[in-house]
Amino acid sequence: MAMTDGRRMALERLREAEGAANELREELRLVGLVLPSLRIDPVSAAGTEPSPLIDLGRCNVETARQLAVVLRHRMRP
């Protein structure tokens, strides 16, 4: 069975979202942060024309504060 153009595009969008999530996960790891719930949102990735969103998930207060510190330092020269 041949893959339709729509199906091919949907798979490409899902691969792109997964790649972006993996990049983010790795960059966070490099600064010592882990968002355990980081994933592709399954609802947005469903259907025949998915528009996948990256769900950053939930984190505890300590992780949120660490993330704020990292972002604050990256914004300063």
Side-chain angles (χ1 to χ4, degrees), residues 17-66:
E18 189 63 42
N22 288 336
E23 286 178 44
L24 179 57
R25 186 177 293 109
E26 178 61 14
E27 290 300 319
L28 289 170
R29 186 191 67 76
L30 291 173
V31 295
L33 292 171
V34 174
L35 296 178
S37 301
L38 189 133
R39 65 186 180 136
I40 303 301
D41 172 56
V43 174
S44 66
T48 57
E49 292 186 34
S51 185
L53 298 173
I54 298 168
D55 185 352
L56 300 180
R58 303 178 326 168
C59 67
N60 61 30
V61 172
E62 179 183 337
T63 301
R65 287 193 170 133
Q66 288 175 338

